[in-house]
Amino acid sequence: MQESTSFSVIIHIKISKNNNTMNQKLLKSHTILAICILILSIIPVVAIGPYLHQFADDYVFGAPVYKAWTATHSFGACIQAAWAESMHIYQTWQGTYSACFLMALQPGIFGKYWLVPIILLGSLILSTYTLGYTILRRLLHISKLEYTFISTLFVLMTVQFVWSFYDAFCWYNGAMYYTLYYSISLFLASLLIEFHLTKSIIAKIIITLVSAALAIFIAGGNFVTGLGMPAILFMAIVWMWVERKKTPFFLLSILIIYACAFAFSVFAPGNTVRQSTVTSQPNVVSAFFIAIAKGIEFLADAIKITEILMFTILIPFLARLAKASHFRFSHPWLYLLISFLLYCAFFFPNSYAMGTRGADRVQNVYFYVHLWMFCFNIFYLSGALQRRAATQEPVSVAMMNLIDAIKQKYDRYFKWTPVYYWLVLVLSISAKPTTTNRTITLLRKGTAQKFDQQMRQREIEVKKSKADHLVLNPLTVKMPSDAFHDITIYPGYWINRGMANYYDKKTVVALPFDDADESPAQLLERCREEVGPGGMTFIEGKEINNIIHQTKR
């Protein structure tokens, strides 16, 4: 009897080892597939780079640096011009000092606009992998293989399902302002966590200095990331104070540094000028509830079937991580509420300023953040369920029994799990709304190539002409950005004025173009309503003629 028992134990151990080896082999193959698909998926986004060109805000912010570069070809002069432009915009339009500095240094000035998708994609992918490494490897101590698989799936979702791919990776001004600052915020989050994990004094000193610098830099960026990220940091400080009964002075010091820098941005004179162009603004209380409503509305609009399918792959991994972790998961409903309110904090700046969700480039940040919110909530709620089931809490036990019953009933279908993984990963880049699909469509239809051809011809014509007043051919294609507007027949339109100033001309206009999407009356109304950076309002014909005559004198 004893020998039989020993034999059974040995057989059980061998079977367990074989299953574990088989699972590791499957996971390795899935990870390799995920990495290959990620690499393949970003090739078209990088390939579209040579066809991209500056437009709209790129001209306005980049004009002083472009003039400095053409006059001196000195990077030192360009840096000085960029900082001067940043301080000018600080006084006249917005307080985002570090962002305006980067906007002024847009790559098109140096003939390198093709770098835009490389910079934006690179920063987003690298920062996501970095924070994933800090959380999964350094904090939760999972294997390299599991970390690589989970992080790659998350990166795929972040890149492929983003709200507006063009505003995320292809338009420098909008993409840098939101996607880049979000990415830098992830790097900062990684450093803040690493500070509490490392035991090296030298490492702590370096982390403190770099974190302080990044906090000052991020505080000078967009208000969406600018408000949402410190809100999360504040709640982390509160959690550590409540749970560990001690004040995290490092986090508190970074938050104070950030708050001071953010105040410098918020109370800039230019913000008052810009806000005066908004016709109606909700009060703080109304904006709070608008932000919650917009948060729910965005989730309803953003979540697609491909994202749900990707999360079905991630859920078992996150549940196992929660079970193996040391966290107690003692307040699931409170955590759910707080995490949702923190997510809505990202909506508050636009809700307060305009009562809306904001432009597509803004909504890219909402999208990035909601993925993290979902992952953390799945981790926490699954952990709470398993902890409570272990203590025989009736509802949790019933739910775990239901899950086990479903597993047993449909066990025969689980052998197709590898095929399911492969299909979902392929769908993640081939389905219609994905970044790769949309980018390939632009290339396949020739839209990107036609845009490039027309912009190159225009640039050659502008640079060759010595005339002060230029009449250019209009663009016959539109790139997929809600901010994409070309110059018009009206020289007083802010984009016309921005382009004229960029190339040191007095006026620039486009020939009339029969646009099926906008009648002549609608075009004039839009041009009059829009206000460009620095408070560039529409100048009527007589007014601009007077300005030209004054310039001649």
Side-chain angles (χ1 to χ4, degrees):
M1 183 71 178
Q2 193 173 8
E3 289 179 3
S4 176
T5 304
S6 301
F7 181 74
S8 298
V9 170
I10 292 169
I11 292 296
H12 176 72
I13 291 172
K14 285 184 177 180
I15 291 172
S16 298
K17 285 183 177 179
N18 288 337
N19 287 338
N20 185 56
T21 303
M22 183 63 70
N23 289 336
Q24 288 296 306
K25 286 182 178 179
L26 280 174
L27 181 58
K28 188 175 182 179
S29 66
H30 296 330
T31 304
I32 293 171
L33 174 67
I35 293 171
C36 290
I37 286 180
L38 175 62
I39 293 170
L40 288 172
S41 72
I42 64 177
I43 289 174
V45 185
V46 174
I48 203 174
Y51 302 110
L52 302 177
H53 292 271
Q54 56 206 5
F55 68 88
D57 300 60
D58 288 327
Y59 286 120
V60 179
F61 285 96
V65 178
Y66 177 74
K67 292 174 182 179
W69 177 248
T70 53
T72 66
H73 276 73
S74 165
F75 285 108
C78 290
I79 296 297
Q80 289 179 349
W83 182 249
E85 176 67 3
S86 174
M87 291 299 97
H88 170 70
I89 294 294
Y90 183 86
Q91 296 292 333
T92 61
W93 189 241
Q94 62 192 55
T96 52
Y97 52 90
S98 62
C100 291
F101 176 75
L102 291 183
M103 287 176 185
L105 291 168
Q106 59 98 350
I109 293 167
F110 313 103
K112 307 293 183 183
Y113 209 84
W114 56 271
L115 286 172
V116 173
I118 297 174
I119 295 169
L120 275 302
L121 262 178
S123 65
L124 182 62
I125 292 172
L126 184 59
S127 63
T128 305
Y129 269 115
T130 301
L131 184 55
Y133 181 87
T134 307
I135 294 171
L136 298 174
R137 289 283 290 155
R138 298 283 288 133
L139 189 62
L140 298 177
H141 306 292
I142 69 171
S143 69
K144 288 182 182 179
L145 190 59
E146 287 178 307
Y147 150 71
T148 306
F149 181 69
I150 293 171
S151 296
T152 303
L153 288 189
F154 193 86
V155 169
L156 265 172
M157 287 196 291
T158 302
V159 172
Q160 290 300 319
F161 307 150
V162 67
W163 183 259
S164 171
F165 85 97
Y166 199 88
D167 293 306
F169 309 122
C170 301
W171 176 35
Y172 177 77
N173 188 279
M176 180 279 301
Y177 196 40
Y178 291 99
T179 295
L180 182 63
Y181 273 80
Y182 161 80
S183 301
I184 296 171
S185 297
L186 297 192
F187 284 124
L188 177 59
S190 301
L191 288 173
L192 299 183
I193 296 171
E194 184 62 33
F195 180 89
H196 293 88
L197 297 176
T198 186
K199 294 180 180 179
S200 169
I201 300 299
I202 295 175
K204 285 182 180 291
I205 293 172
I206 294 172
I207 289 172
T208 300
L209 295 174
V210 175
S211 297
L214 287 181
I216 294 170
F217 184 84
I218 295 167
N222 70 81
F223 289 171
V224 176
T225 305
L227 183 64
M229 292 303 183
I232 295 172
L233 178 56
F234 174 77
M235 285 310 304
I237 292 170
V238 171
W239 176 80
M240 291 184 74
W241 183 76
V242 171
E243 287 290 318
R244 299 187 180 184
K245 308 300 181 185
K246 64 179 182 180
T247 305
F249 289 104
F250 167 69
L251 295 182
L252 190 59
S253 64
I254 296 299
L255 182 61
I256 292 171
I257 291 171
Y258 184 94
C260 293
F262 191 59
F264 178 74
S265 175
V266 170
F267 295 110
N271 289 332
T272 305
V273 176
R274 184 169 188 172
Q275 197 57 41
S276 66
T277 65
V278 179
T279 54
S280 62
Q281 179 183 2
N283 58 47
V284 174
V285 176
S286 298
F288 173 79
F289 290 103
I290 290 172
I292 292 175
K294 295 300 179 183
I296 297 171
E297 178 186 87
F298 180 80
L299 290 178
D301 291 341
I303 299 172
K304 300 293 190 290
I305 185 64
T306 44
E307 181 183 325
I308 295 172
L309 293 175
M310 289 286 274
F311 269 113
T312 61
I313 298 176
L314 282 176
I315 286 172
F317 288 92
L318 295 174
R320 285 201 296 272
L321 286 176
K323 185 177 181 180
S325 73
H326 62 277
F327 298 111
R328 292 180 296 171
F329 306 107
S330 52
H331 304 288
W333 301 116
L334 180 61
Y335 179 85
L336 188 65
L337 174 64
I338 291 174
S339 65
F340 177 72
L341 290 177
L342 288 174
Y343 160 73
C344 291
F346 288 84
F347 289 81
F348 184 81
N350 277 278
S351 297
Y352 179 64
M354 299 177 290
T356 67
R357 282 172 15 189
D360 285 349
R361 56 191 180 276
V362 182
Q363 297 183 63
N364 285 335
V365 176
Y366 306 154
F367 177 83
Y368 302 142
V369 174
H370 101 275
L371 292 179
W372 288 102
M373 181 186 70
F374 276 19
C375 282
F376 282 121
N377 274 283
I378 291 168
F379 176 79
Y380 197 100
L381 295 178
S382 63
L385 178 64
Q386 292 173 100
R387 292 287 190 272
R388 294 188 177 195
T391 59
Q392 300 301 308
E393 196 272 326
V395 176
S396 299
V397 170
M399 291 181 68
M400 291 300 294
N401 288 338
L402 177 62
I403 293 170
D404 290 337
I406 292 172
K407 285 181 180 178
Q408 290 177 6
K409 183 175 181 180
Y410 297 102
D411 183 62
R412 63 184 182 276
Y413 296 111
F414 283 103
K415 66 181 180 180
W416 298 104
T417 300
V419 178
Y420 175 76
Y421 281 11
W422 283 57
L423 287 174
V424 172
L425 288 171
V426 171
L427 278 174
S428 71
I429 66 170
S430 60
K432 198 168 186 179
T434 62
T435 293
T436 300
N437 181 283
R438 288 180 286 183
T439 307
I440 289 175
T441 300
L442 279 179
L443 294 169
R444 182 174 55 82
K445 289 185 175 181
T447 306
Q449 293 90 329
K450 194 171 183 180
F451 172 65
D452 172 53
Q453 182 184 19
Q454 293 179 359
M455 287 297 290
R456 285 181 185 276
Q457 289 175 348
R458 175 181 286 182
E459 188 173 350
I460 291 169
E461 187 175 345
V462 171
K463 288 182 176 180
K464 279 186 176 180
S465 176
K466 295 181 179 179
D468 290 332
H469 307 279
L470 293 181
V471 179
L472 304 172
N473 289 320
L475 299 178
T476 59
V477 293
K478 290 183 178 180
M479 302 307 276
S481 167
D482 64 349
F484 185 84
H485 291 299
D486 189 23
I487 56 173
T488 67
I489 59 174
Y490 302 108
Y493 179 43
W494 74 268
I495 292 181
N496 291 59
R497 293 173 60 194
M499 187 176 178
N501 181 45
Y502 186 88
Y503 288 111
D504 206 18
K505 304 294 182 182
K506 290 178 180 175
T507 62
V508 171
V509 295
L511 291 169
F513 175 59
D514 186 14
D515 188 350
D517 297 328
E518 194 173 42
S519 68
Q522 290 173 327
L523 172 63
L524 179 58
E525 183 181 2
R526 175 172 66 79
C527 290
R528 283 173 170 166
E529 286 179 354
E530 288 184 13
V531 181
M536 296 174 68
T537 55
F538 184 77
I539 299 179
E540 301 290 346
K542 290 182 179 179
E543 293 178 66
I544 200 162
N545 285 334
N546 291 335
I547 293 172
I548 292 169
H549 289 314
Q550 288 173 7
T551 306
K552 285 180 178 179
R553 293 188 198 132

